[in-house]
Amino acid sequence: MKRIRITQVKSKIDRPLRQKRSLEALGLRKMHQTVEHTATPQILGIVDAVRHLIKVEEI
């Protein structure tokens, strides 16, 4: 499977609780924090829900 690198580029302040929890599920707790995940359908679904708050790159 391919891997993706996810970086939070916008704040989760004043965002709905669902989006805040999606960021936490991805492992993002701070601005400009980067995590790597395998591109499973579950991860890609979460990424799609908060795509306006993050930057995604393929590794």
Side-chain angles (χ1 to χ4, degrees), residues 2 4 6 26 38-50 56:
K2 61 182 178 177
I4 55 174
I6 305 166
L26 288 171
T38 304
T40 63
Q42 294 85 2
I43 295 294
L44 294 176
I46 297 172
V47 165
D48 191 47
V50 292
V56 180

Side-chain angles (χ1 to χ4, degrees), residues 6 12 17-29 35-37 42-43 46-47 50:
I6 305 166
K12 63 182 176 181
L17 183 59
R18 188 171 182 168
Q19 291 177 6
K20 290 179 184 181
R21 288 193 176 156
S22 293
L23 289 173
E24 290 179 10
L26 288 171
L28 297 169
R29 309 253 188 299
V35 294
E36 292 182 6
H37 287 284
Q42 294 85 2
I43 295 294
I46 297 172
V47 165
V50 292

Side-chain angles (χ1 to χ4, degrees), residues 7-11 31-33 51-55:
T7 305
Q8 183 178 347
V9 294
K10 289 190 177 179
S11 175
M31 288 285 298
H32 306 291
Q33 182 180 0
R51 65 185 172 276
H52 57 288
L53 303 175
I54 59 177
K55 180 177 82 169

